[in-house]
Amino acid sequence: MSDFQDAKTKRAIFAAMTAERELEQLRFSLIYLEDVDESCTTALTLLERISERWARDTAAKVARSNRDMDAMHAELSAAADSLLRQWSGDLSAMARAAE
Amino acid sequence: MITVSQTKLAQLLGVSVGRISQLKTDRRLVQVGDGIDLAASLALLRDTADPGKASALRLDRASAWLETALRSAAAATEAEDDADTVAAPTASPAYREARTRKERAMADMAELNYLLAAGELMTLEDANYAIADVGTQVRTAIEISPDRLTPIFVGGSQEEIEAGLLAMLRTVIHDAREVHRRHMALAQQGAVPGLP
């Protein structure tokens, strides 16, 4: 093979590697709309699923202090934190399961 | 340099031609003769964006289109160059294999850019923003609920409190679904017709 053809081949190989690298970068920067849609929908369904029991348990605790606004507020705040923690935990578990 | 018309730019950015005229008046576009220098204008729009305001301009899609246009132009130049030098029948197998790999990668990139423009794919940046927005909506609504609900619940029965909490959560979930729907619709509407 002549030096010229050798150089042409080398150039073509590096051009291919560059294009493949660009393709990988593009792939990692994009996500299917359907997957995003499904993730969000599932996350909200998870919240919906835990909401009934949470409302029942929280109502039982809050009703015990229903004449004391400060105690009620503290109970509701703790319950709100607990709900968000539980939801976040469920979402993490879902993400781990998906991996 | 890739230049586009005002109409094409409006299509790429997902805004009206009137909005493009306004951007021109605001000196946020770089004009070259009758056209607009796309790369320079996108850079200028990014530099002059108000950090406190969410932009309606689809800069990511316009950038994707620009990248594809630049790659097509580069490929055309290279193809002309090759036609002048190495004829395919005399090229070595290694050369042909490398060109095939490159063409395959370019074709895959063209497909991804098409799917992005067609609204089937979205950038991770947009997806993260959409998911974070829904999450923030839910978190904020639940966090402020004690302030809102305590005065309502005082003196209420357990059943009334439970019903109130459930109603609050249903509203939160409903509103979050609406925010999510808006993001998905925006991602689909941001489609750029005619992307190569």
Side-chain angles (χ1 to χ4, degrees), chain A residues 1 4-5 8-20 22-24 26-34 36-41 44-45 47-64 66-70 72-74 76-81 83-85 87-88, chain B residues 67 71 78 81-82 85-86 90-92 94-95 97-99 101-102 104-106 108-110 112-113 115-116 119-125 127 130-131 134-135 138-139 142-143 145-147 149-151 153-159 161-163 165-166 168-170 172-173 176-177 180 183-184 187-188:
Chain A
M1 194 191 295
F4 177 76
Q5 278 185 321
K8 276 311 261 192
T9 302
K10 183 177 175 181
R11 179 179 155 192
I13 289 168
F14 279 103
M17 285 165 66
T18 304
E20 284 167 349
E22 279 177 23
L23 172 64
E24 277 309 290
L26 186 62
R27 272 200 184 123
F28 282 122
S29 72
L30 299 173
I31 186 166
Y32 276 97
L33 209 71
E34 208 180 296
V36 179
D37 190 21
E38 200 183 306
S39 297
C40 259
T41 305
L44 293 173
T45 305
L47 181 61
E48 206 165 31
R49 210 174 285 163
I50 58 178
S51 65
E52 279 196 21
R53 186 170 174 189
W54 174 83
R56 196 170 54 242
D57 294 349
T58 305
K61 285 181 203 160
V62 171
R64 275 183 234 132
N66 76 348
R67 298 280 164 203
D68 179 349
M69 263 183 95
D70 289 341
M72 253 182 128
H73 188 276
L76 281 170
S77 296
D81 284 348
L83 176 66
L84 288 171
R85 263 200 314 276
W87 187 45
S88 172
Chain B
E67 273 178 36
R71 271 197 294 269
E78 196 170 308
D81 182 29
D82 288 343
T85 53
V86 179
T90 59
S92 70
Y95 175 83
E97 189 194 320
R99 288 307 302 259
R101 274 174 54 199
K102 184 183 168 189
R104 195 172 293 134
M106 299 286 281
D108 287 350
M109 273 191 276
L112 290 176
N113 277 317
L115 292 174
L116 177 67
E120 283 186 44
L121 284 170
M122 65 193 294
T123 63
L124 274 181
E125 198 184 341
I131 291 168
V134 172
V138 171
R139 180 169 288 277
I142 291 174
E143 277 174 353
S145 67
D147 291 347
L149 296 177
T150 305
F153 286 168
V154 171
S157 68
Q158 185 175 330
E159 289 72 26
I161 293 170
E162 186 179 337
L165 289 170
L166 266 179
M168 177 274 291
L169 276 180
R170 282 187 187 130
V172 168
I173 292 167
R177 283 200 170 114
H180 169 60
H183 278 295
M184 292 298 100
Q188 281 174 325

